[in-house]
Amino acid sequence: MARWDAKNLEIRTRSVEQALVPLVAQITTLVNLKERIKLTDKSKQILKAAGTNIQKAIDSFSNVGQTIAAENDDIADDMNETCSEALKSGEIILKLTDLNESLSLDKAAIVQVSRVLLGSITRSLLLADVVAVKKLVRAAEKVDEKLRELENVHIFTDFVQAFSQFGADMVELAHVSGDRQNDLKDDKQRAEMCAARAVLEKSTMMLLTSCKTCLRHPDSPLALGNRSGVFQCMRTAMSTLKEIVQENSYEPSLEMSRGLGMEFKDFEVAVEVLFQRPDDTEIRPEIMDKLKKIISDSENLINSEFIPSPKKNRIMAYCANLRDLLQDLIGEFKTCSDESLDESLCQLLKQISKIMNDINTDLTNVSLDLLTEVFINQAWKPNLQKLRLSSVNGDPGSVDLYGEKLEEDSRKMKEVSKLICNITQSEPVVITANKIEENMKIFLPQLVSAAKILSGHPSSKISLENMEVFANVWETQVEEWTTLLRNVTHFDKRCGSEHKLSSKRSNKDDSEECNTL
């Protein structure tokens, strides 16, 4: 486990924030009193009561903290130190708010001690949070230990016993990781954790059937590989869980562009800054760099075999136009005053922004067209069904054929997802979509392997059950992917036909409009 610095911890969970709210409210009321104001007897009583309430809250915090310290040696010193600081601060506040012998309130002293108090209480809460993190890590390690046992089991009765314990440990991990996921403040971390937990949930049934198949056909390399793939998926998912909670600074391992939608927005913000501060020497090269990146990313994005040529040519023409305007922009920046903007520069920037809006609109339309096609045609469904039938009928050649067709369907879905993730401005959605795609990519070869195992043993009920589980999991992933992207694009079946009609009308004008760019 990572070494925690109790002096420099950042609040990353909602529960810690919420626990601090009542104490912060009491202290805020206290320090908002006017400095050295003369108080009546009634006011002194109220002030003393506030100090007493704060001290009681501190005592409660400290008692819990000291109990946690006694049960966790690795944080005991830090926890006892912070509790001691909090108790001392409480005693000082109690004295400062007891004005029986004083005529005025020393606000400066209260502010100073309140800062120390809040720091101590915050560190105590965060150290308590470390205990929750340890609980999750221990739960994950117990599951990992059971996975190693399952991997080495060769007798069916031993497997049943080991899997039963594994199931109980998985339930515990699902519970504590679910609590942690809901408590995380960072949307990206929450999305990563949700995706990892989903993989663990789906993999549990695949693990059961793949292990049973491996026990039934111990000499089959395909069965062994099928099972090994599930083990690897689960270990990767648990590694993600532990990274997120242990370091609290997990970054997605997959390198992802922020997306053109965000890049367009960044460009517009930079232009607004230029209009507001024309003398800003750093914003001009920043604008040019952003424009270059937009052009490059737009060209790379549409380099897909699934985008119709007219749409592709149209966007390429827009990009060529932007390259010409970029050269004009470089020239304008060289000649334009650093203190004001010429009318020609303003018009040039407006022209660039309009073309970017046109690119964004076209990419949105292309994304909707492709998503509509995938959703309505659903070519993967008959291919999946034929893969199932081929395996049941003992036809390995057809299994290979329809496995390749599903691979083609999966590639098209990935291209659609790539487009839609570029028009969205939600990083959690991008993370979730990429994780689902990653699962589809990983699970598909395993599905084909399961089908091949069955095609070699068509009378095996265990092999049939295994293939059906893998097929159902892959089908579920595709349906989750479709639902996610439909929500992102606000796609609605009721307006699907209208969209297709508008697309047909725009396609007629594509070649003509490209010539005018």
Side-chain angles (χ1 to χ4, degrees), residues 447-474:
L447 164 60
V448 175
S449 291
K452 285 182 178 179
I453 296 168
L454 178 58
S455 69
H457 307 87
S459 61
S460 171
K461 292 183 179 180
I462 289 178
S463 298
L464 174 61
E465 179 188 20
N466 185 53
M467 186 276 296
E468 284 296 335
V469 166
F470 276 90
N472 289 336
V473 167
W474 195 79

PDB file of all heavy atoms in Angstrom, residues 447-474:
ATOM      1  N   LEU A 447     -15.151 -15.571 -26.926  1.00  0.00           N
ATOM      2  CA  LEU A 447     -16.414 -16.135 -27.414  1.00  0.00           C
ATOM      3  C   LEU A 447     -16.154 -17.102 -28.559  1.00  0.00           C
ATOM      4  O   LEU A 447     -16.717 -18.210 -28.597  1.00  0.00           O
ATOM      5  CB  LEU A 447     -17.344 -15.002 -27.857  1.00  0.00           C
ATOM      6  CG  LEU A 447     -18.539 -15.389 -28.739  1.00  0.00           C
ATOM      7  CD1 LEU A 447     -19.444 -16.384 -28.020  1.00  0.00           C
ATOM      8  CD2 LEU A 447     -19.321 -14.146 -29.154  1.00  0.00           C
ATOM      9  N   VAL A 448     -15.309 -16.700 -29.490  1.00  0.00           N
ATOM     10  CA  VAL A 448     -14.993 -17.569 -30.632  1.00  0.00           C
ATOM     11  C   VAL A 448     -14.303 -18.843 -30.149  1.00  0.00           C
ATOM     12  O   VAL A 448     -14.578 -19.946 -30.639  1.00  0.00           O
ATOM     13  CB  VAL A 448     -14.120 -16.822 -31.658  1.00  0.00           C
ATOM     14  CG1 VAL A 448     -13.685 -17.749 -32.784  1.00  0.00           C
ATOM     15  CG2 VAL A 448     -14.882 -15.624 -32.236  1.00  0.00           C
ATOM     16  N   SER A 449     -13.410 -18.714 -29.178  1.00  0.00           N
ATOM     17  CA  SER A 449     -12.748 -19.901 -28.614  1.00  0.00           C
ATOM     18  C   SER A 449     -13.767 -20.839 -27.975  1.00  0.00           C
ATOM     19  O   SER A 449     -13.700 -22.069 -28.147  1.00  0.00           O
ATOM     20  CB  SER A 449     -11.709 -19.486 -27.566  1.00  0.00           C
ATOM     21  OG  SER A 449     -10.620 -18.829 -28.162  1.00  0.00           O
ATOM     22  N   ALA A 450     -14.714 -20.261 -27.226  1.00  0.00           N
ATOM     23  CA  ALA A 450     -15.754 -21.082 -26.596  1.00  0.00           C
ATOM     24  C   ALA A 450     -16.586 -21.802 -27.655  1.00  0.00           C
ATOM     25  O   ALA A 450     -16.980 -22.969 -27.470  1.00  0.00           O
ATOM     26  CB  ALA A 450     -16.644 -20.206 -25.715  1.00  0.00           C
ATOM     27  N   ALA A 451     -16.860 -21.096 -28.770  1.00  0.00           N
ATOM     28  CA  ALA A 451     -17.624 -21.716 -29.861  1.00  0.00           C
ATOM     29  C   ALA A 451     -16.822 -22.838 -30.520  1.00  0.00           C
ATOM     30  O   ALA A 451     -17.376 -23.878 -30.900  1.00  0.00           O
ATOM     31  CB  ALA A 451     -18.008 -20.657 -30.889  1.00  0.00           C
ATOM     32  N   LYS A 452     -15.524 -22.642 -30.654  1.00  0.00           N
ATOM     33  CA  LYS A 452     -14.675 -23.677 -31.252  1.00  0.00           C
ATOM     34  C   LYS A 452     -14.606 -24.907 -30.353  1.00  0.00           C
ATOM     35  O   LYS A 452     -14.601 -26.053 -30.838  1.00  0.00           O
ATOM     36  CB  LYS A 452     -13.267 -23.120 -31.490  1.00  0.00           C
ATOM     37  CG  LYS A 452     -13.165 -22.167 -32.666  1.00  0.00           C
ATOM     38  CD  LYS A 452     -11.725 -21.703 -32.849  1.00  0.00           C
ATOM     39  CE  LYS A 452     -11.597 -20.775 -34.052  1.00  0.00           C
ATOM     40  NZ  LYS A 452     -10.197 -20.297 -34.227  1.00  0.00           N
ATOM     41  N   ILE A 453     -14.537 -24.671 -29.033  1.00  0.00           N
ATOM     42  CA  ILE A 453     -14.526 -25.797 -28.090  1.00  0.00           C
ATOM     43  C   ILE A 453     -15.800 -26.625 -28.265  1.00  0.00           C
ATOM     44  O   ILE A 453     -15.762 -27.863 -28.336  1.00  0.00           O
ATOM     45  CB  ILE A 453     -14.408 -25.293 -26.641  1.00  0.00           C
ATOM     46  CG1 ILE A 453     -13.071 -24.595 -26.419  1.00  0.00           C
ATOM     47  CG2 ILE A 453     -14.570 -26.445 -25.645  1.00  0.00           C
ATOM     48  CD1 ILE A 453     -12.986 -23.832 -25.113  1.00  0.00           C
ATOM     49  N   LEU A 454     -16.936 -25.922 -28.352  1.00  0.00           N
ATOM     50  CA  LEU A 454     -18.210 -26.622 -28.522  1.00  0.00           C
ATOM     51  C   LEU A 454     -18.289 -27.334 -29.869  1.00  0.00           C
ATOM     52  O   LEU A 454     -18.810 -28.453 -29.959  1.00  0.00           O
ATOM     53  CB  LEU A 454     -19.370 -25.632 -28.378  1.00  0.00           C
ATOM     54  CG  LEU A 454     -20.775 -26.217 -28.570  1.00  0.00           C
ATOM     55  CD1 LEU A 454     -21.033 -27.355 -27.573  1.00  0.00           C
ATOM     56  CD2 LEU A 454     -21.838 -25.126 -28.419  1.00  0.00           C
ATOM     57  N   SER A 455     -17.764 -26.704 -30.915  1.00  0.00           N
ATOM     58  CA  SER A 455     -17.809 -27.343 -32.237  1.00  0.00           C
ATOM     59  C   SER A 455     -16.998 -28.643 -32.255  1.00  0.00           C
ATOM     60  O   SER A 455     -17.295 -29.557 -33.038  1.00  0.00           O
ATOM     61  CB  SER A 455     -17.286 -26.382 -33.309  1.00  0.00           C
ATOM     62  OG  SER A 455     -15.894 -26.158 -33.157  1.00  0.00           O
ATOM     63  N   GLY A 456     -15.978 -28.721 -31.384  1.00  0.00           N
ATOM     64  CA  GLY A 456     -15.197 -29.950 -31.277  1.00  0.00           C
ATOM     65  C   GLY A 456     -15.838 -30.981 -30.368  1.00  0.00           C
ATOM     66  O   GLY A 456     -15.507 -32.165 -30.437  1.00  0.00           O
ATOM     67  N   HIS A 457     -16.765 -30.520 -29.494  1.00  0.00           N
ATOM     68  CA  HIS A 457     -17.469 -31.427 -28.571  1.00  0.00           C
ATOM     69  C   HIS A 457     -18.949 -31.032 -28.557  1.00  0.00           C
ATOM     70  O   HIS A 457     -19.470 -30.583 -27.522  1.00  0.00           O
ATOM     71  CB  HIS A 457     -16.880 -31.345 -27.166  1.00  0.00           C
ATOM     72  CG  HIS A 457     -15.405 -31.557 -27.098  1.00  0.00           C
ATOM     73  ND1 HIS A 457     -14.500 -30.528 -27.272  1.00  0.00           N
ATOM     74  CD2 HIS A 457     -14.677 -32.689 -26.893  1.00  0.00           C
ATOM     75  CE1 HIS A 457     -13.272 -31.012 -27.165  1.00  0.00           C
ATOM     76  NE2 HIS A 457     -13.345 -32.316 -26.942  1.00  0.00           N
ATOM     77  N   PRO A 458     -19.647 -31.169 -29.695  1.00  0.00           N
ATOM     78  CA  PRO A 458     -21.027 -30.667 -29.799  1.00  0.00           C
ATOM     79  C   PRO A 458     -22.020 -31.325 -28.844  1.00  0.00           C
ATOM     80  O   PRO A 458     -23.099 -30.774 -28.600  1.00  0.00           O
ATOM     81  CB  PRO A 458     -21.400 -30.952 -31.261  1.00  0.00           C
ATOM     82  CG  PRO A 458     -20.437 -31.994 -31.708  1.00  0.00           C
ATOM     83  CD  PRO A 458     -19.189 -31.780 -30.947  1.00  0.00           C
ATOM     84  N   SER A 459     -21.679 -32.475 -28.288  1.00  0.00           N
ATOM     85  CA  SER A 459     -22.596 -33.142 -27.363  1.00  0.00           C
ATOM     86  C   SER A 459     -22.321 -32.774 -25.905  1.00  0.00           C
ATOM     87  O   SER A 459     -23.016 -33.240 -24.998  1.00  0.00           O
ATOM     88  CB  SER A 459     -22.491 -34.668 -27.528  1.00  0.00           C
ATOM     89  OG  SER A 459     -21.170 -35.111 -27.236  1.00  0.00           O
ATOM     90  N   SER A 460     -21.304 -31.927 -25.666  1.00  0.00           N
ATOM     91  CA  SER A 460     -20.929 -31.567 -24.296  1.00  0.00           C
ATOM     92  C   SER A 460     -21.832 -30.456 -23.767  1.00  0.00           C
ATOM     93  O   SER A 460     -21.817 -29.327 -24.261  1.00  0.00           O
ATOM     94  CB  SER A 460     -19.461 -31.113 -24.259  1.00  0.00           C
ATOM     95  OG  SER A 460     -19.132 -30.575 -22.993  1.00  0.00           O
ATOM     96  N   LYS A 461     -22.597 -30.776 -22.723  1.00  0.00           N
ATOM     97  CA  LYS A 461     -23.488 -29.771 -22.131  1.00  0.00           C
ATOM     98  C   LYS A 461     -22.694 -28.647 -21.455  1.00  0.00           C
ATOM     99  O   LYS A 461     -23.110 -27.483 -21.467  1.00  0.00           O
ATOM    100  CB  LYS A 461     -24.424 -30.440 -21.130  1.00  0.00           C
ATOM    101  CG  LYS A 461     -25.449 -31.377 -21.768  1.00  0.00           C
ATOM    102  CD  LYS A 461     -26.383 -31.953 -20.715  1.00  0.00           C
ATOM    103  CE  LYS A 461     -27.422 -32.870 -21.369  1.00  0.00           C
ATOM    104  NZ  LYS A 461     -28.355 -33.461 -20.369  1.00  0.00           N
ATOM    105  N   ILE A 462     -21.574 -29.017 -20.851  1.00  0.00           N
ATOM    106  CA  ILE A 462     -20.746 -28.012 -20.189  1.00  0.00           C
ATOM    107  C   ILE A 462     -20.181 -27.026 -21.218  1.00  0.00           C
ATOM    108  O   ILE A 462     -20.168 -25.803 -20.997  1.00  0.00           O
ATOM    109  CB  ILE A 462     -19.614 -28.692 -19.401  1.00  0.00           C
ATOM    110  CG1 ILE A 462     -20.185 -29.410 -18.176  1.00  0.00           C
ATOM    111  CG2 ILE A 462     -18.561 -27.677 -18.965  1.00  0.00           C
ATOM    112  CD1 ILE A 462     -19.156 -30.156 -17.352  1.00  0.00           C
ATOM    113  N   SER A 463     -19.726 -27.546 -22.368  1.00  0.00           N
ATOM    114  CA  SER A 463     -19.193 -26.671 -23.424  1.00  0.00           C
ATOM    115  C   SER A 463     -20.283 -25.784 -24.002  1.00  0.00           C
ATOM    116  O   SER A 463     -20.038 -24.620 -24.338  1.00  0.00           O
ATOM    117  CB  SER A 463     -18.561 -27.513 -24.534  1.00  0.00           C
ATOM    118  OG  SER A 463     -17.474 -28.260 -24.036  1.00  0.00           O
ATOM    119  N   LEU A 464     -21.503 -26.316 -24.114  1.00  0.00           N
ATOM    120  CA  LEU A 464     -22.630 -25.518 -24.600  1.00  0.00           C
ATOM    121  C   LEU A 464     -22.947 -24.390 -23.627  1.00  0.00           C
ATOM    122  O   LEU A 464     -23.147 -23.233 -24.030  1.00  0.00           O
ATOM    123  CB  LEU A 464     -23.852 -26.409 -24.786  1.00  0.00           C
ATOM    124  CG  LEU A 464     -25.156 -25.695 -25.166  1.00  0.00           C
ATOM    125  CD1 LEU A 464     -25.009 -24.965 -26.506  1.00  0.00           C
ATOM    126  CD2 LEU A 464     -26.321 -26.686 -25.226  1.00  0.00           C
ATOM    127  N   GLU A 465     -22.990 -24.730 -22.340  1.00  0.00           N
ATOM    128  CA  GLU A 465     -23.247 -23.703 -21.320  1.00  0.00           C
ATOM    129  C   GLU A 465     -22.173 -22.623 -21.367  1.00  0.00           C
ATOM    130  O   GLU A 465     -22.477 -21.426 -21.275  1.00  0.00           O
ATOM    131  CB  GLU A 465     -23.268 -24.363 -19.943  1.00  0.00           C
ATOM    132  CG  GLU A 465     -23.513 -23.385 -18.802  1.00  0.00           C
ATOM    133  CD  GLU A 465     -23.343 -24.029 -17.440  1.00  0.00           C
ATOM    134  OE1 GLU A 465     -22.683 -25.090 -17.349  1.00  0.00           O
ATOM    135  OE2 GLU A 465     -23.854 -23.469 -16.458  1.00  0.00           O
ATOM    136  N   ASN A 466     -20.928 -23.022 -21.533  1.00  0.00           N
ATOM    137  CA  ASN A 466     -19.812 -22.076 -21.585  1.00  0.00           C
ATOM    138  C   ASN A 466     -19.952 -21.127 -22.766  1.00  0.00           C
ATOM    139  O   ASN A 466     -19.809 -19.902 -22.636  1.00  0.00           O
ATOM    140  CB  ASN A 466     -18.492 -22.854 -21.681  1.00  0.00           C
ATOM    141  CG  ASN A 466     -17.281 -21.948 -21.610  1.00  0.00           C
ATOM    142  OD1 ASN A 466     -17.136 -21.155 -20.699  1.00  0.00           O
ATOM    143  ND2 ASN A 466     -16.399 -22.065 -22.592  1.00  0.00           N
ATOM    144  N   MET A 467     -20.245 -21.686 -23.938  1.00  0.00           N
ATOM    145  CA  MET A 467     -20.393 -20.845 -25.132  1.00  0.00           C
ATOM    146  C   MET A 467     -21.555 -19.852 -24.966  1.00  0.00           C
ATOM    147  O   MET A 467     -21.437 -18.674 -25.323  1.00  0.00           O
ATOM    148  CB  MET A 467     -20.622 -21.730 -26.357  1.00  0.00           C
ATOM    149  CG  MET A 467     -20.644 -20.988 -27.691  1.00  0.00           C
ATOM    150  SD  MET A 467     -22.261 -20.269 -28.096  1.00  0.00           S
ATOM    151  CE  MET A 467     -23.258 -21.750 -28.240  1.00  0.00           C
ATOM    152  N   GLU A 468     -22.662 -20.318 -24.406  1.00  0.00           N
ATOM    153  CA  GLU A 468     -23.826 -19.447 -24.240  1.00  0.00           C
ATOM    154  C   GLU A 468     -23.525 -18.300 -23.272  1.00  0.00           C
ATOM    155  O   GLU A 468     -23.959 -17.169 -23.482  1.00  0.00           O
ATOM    156  CB  GLU A 468     -25.026 -20.259 -23.731  1.00  0.00           C
ATOM    157  CG  GLU A 468     -25.684 -21.119 -24.799  1.00  0.00           C
ATOM    158  CD  GLU A 468     -26.287 -20.290 -25.916  1.00  0.00           C
ATOM    159  OE1 GLU A 468     -26.636 -19.109 -25.689  1.00  0.00           O
ATOM    160  OE2 GLU A 468     -26.404 -20.814 -27.048  1.00  0.00           O
ATOM    161  N   VAL A 469     -22.761 -18.587 -22.224  1.00  0.00           N
ATOM    162  CA  VAL A 469     -22.410 -17.527 -21.272  1.00  0.00           C
ATOM    163  C   VAL A 469     -21.557 -16.462 -21.950  1.00  0.00           C
ATOM    164  O   VAL A 469     -21.809 -15.255 -21.810  1.00  0.00           O
ATOM    165  CB  VAL A 469     -21.667 -18.122 -20.052  1.00  0.00           C
ATOM    166  CG1 VAL A 469     -20.989 -17.014 -19.243  1.00  0.00           C
ATOM    167  CG2 VAL A 469     -22.636 -18.883 -19.168  1.00  0.00           C
ATOM    168  N   PHE A 470     -20.548 -16.884 -22.716  1.00  0.00           N
ATOM    169  CA  PHE A 470     -19.693 -15.921 -23.405  1.00  0.00           C
ATOM    170  C   PHE A 470     -20.487 -15.126 -24.441  1.00  0.00           C
ATOM    171  O   PHE A 470     -20.281 -13.920 -24.609  1.00  0.00           O
ATOM    172  CB  PHE A 470     -18.506 -16.635 -24.063  1.00  0.00           C
ATOM    173  CG  PHE A 470     -17.360 -16.875 -23.132  1.00  0.00           C
ATOM    174  CD1 PHE A 470     -17.275 -18.046 -22.395  1.00  0.00           C
ATOM    175  CD2 PHE A 470     -16.366 -15.921 -22.965  1.00  0.00           C
ATOM    176  CE1 PHE A 470     -16.227 -18.271 -21.522  1.00  0.00           C
ATOM    177  CE2 PHE A 470     -15.304 -16.124 -22.096  1.00  0.00           C
ATOM    178  CZ  PHE A 470     -15.234 -17.310 -21.368  1.00  0.00           C
ATOM    179  N   ALA A 471     -21.381 -15.808 -25.139  1.00  0.00           N
ATOM    180  CA  ALA A 471     -22.209 -15.120 -26.142  1.00  0.00           C
ATOM    181  C   ALA A 471     -23.117 -14.091 -25.482  1.00  0.00           C
ATOM    182  O   ALA A 471     -23.269 -12.964 -25.973  1.00  0.00           O
ATOM    183  CB  ALA A 471     -23.036 -16.137 -26.928  1.00  0.00           C
ATOM    184  N   ASN A 472     -23.707 -14.461 -24.350  1.00  0.00           N
ATOM    185  CA  ASN A 472     -24.612 -13.533 -23.656  1.00  0.00           C
ATOM    186  C   ASN A 472     -23.853 -12.317 -23.122  1.00  0.00           C
ATOM    187  O   ASN A 472     -24.354 -11.188 -23.160  1.00  0.00           O
ATOM    188  CB  ASN A 472     -25.323 -14.258 -22.512  1.00  0.00           C
ATOM    189  CG  ASN A 472     -26.357 -15.250 -23.006  1.00  0.00           C
ATOM    190  OD1 ASN A 472     -26.868 -15.128 -24.114  1.00  0.00           O
ATOM    191  ND2 ASN A 472     -26.654 -16.264 -22.192  1.00  0.00           N
ATOM    192  N   VAL A 473     -22.649 -12.545 -22.606  1.00  0.00           N
ATOM    193  CA  VAL A 473     -21.854 -11.431 -22.082  1.00  0.00           C
ATOM    194  C   VAL A 473     -21.482 -10.477 -23.211  1.00  0.00           C
ATOM    195  O   VAL A 473     -21.588  -9.248 -23.063  1.00  0.00           O
ATOM    196  CB  VAL A 473     -20.585 -11.957 -21.374  1.00  0.00           C
ATOM    197  CG1 VAL A 473     -19.599 -10.814 -21.121  1.00  0.00           C
ATOM    198  CG2 VAL A 473     -20.952 -12.619 -20.057  1.00  0.00           C
ATOM    199  N   TRP A 474     -21.032 -11.015 -24.344  1.00  0.00           N
ATOM    200  CA  TRP A 474     -20.658 -10.141 -25.459  1.00  0.00           C
ATOM    201  C   TRP A 474     -21.875  -9.375 -25.978  1.00  0.00           C
ATOM    202  O   TRP A 474     -21.802  -8.176 -26.266  1.00  0.00           O
ATOM    203  CB  TRP A 474     -20.027 -10.960 -26.593  1.00  0.00           C
ATOM    204  CG  TRP A 474     -19.309 -10.089 -27.587  1.00  0.00           C
ATOM    205  CD1 TRP A 474     -18.070  -9.543 -27.462  1.00  0.00           C
ATOM    206  CD2 TRP A 474     -19.821  -9.637 -28.849  1.00  0.00           C
ATOM    207  NE1 TRP A 474     -17.763  -8.785 -28.565  1.00  0.00           N
ATOM    208  CE2 TRP A 474     -18.812  -8.821 -29.432  1.00  0.00           C
ATOM    209  CE3 TRP A 474     -21.004  -9.837 -29.546  1.00  0.00           C
ATOM    210  CZ2 TRP A 474     -18.974  -8.214 -30.672  1.00  0.00           C
ATOM    211  CZ3 TRP A 474     -21.177  -9.231 -30.782  1.00  0.00           C
ATOM    212  CH2 TRP A 474     -20.157  -8.438 -31.332  1.00  0.00           C
TER     213      TRP A 474
END
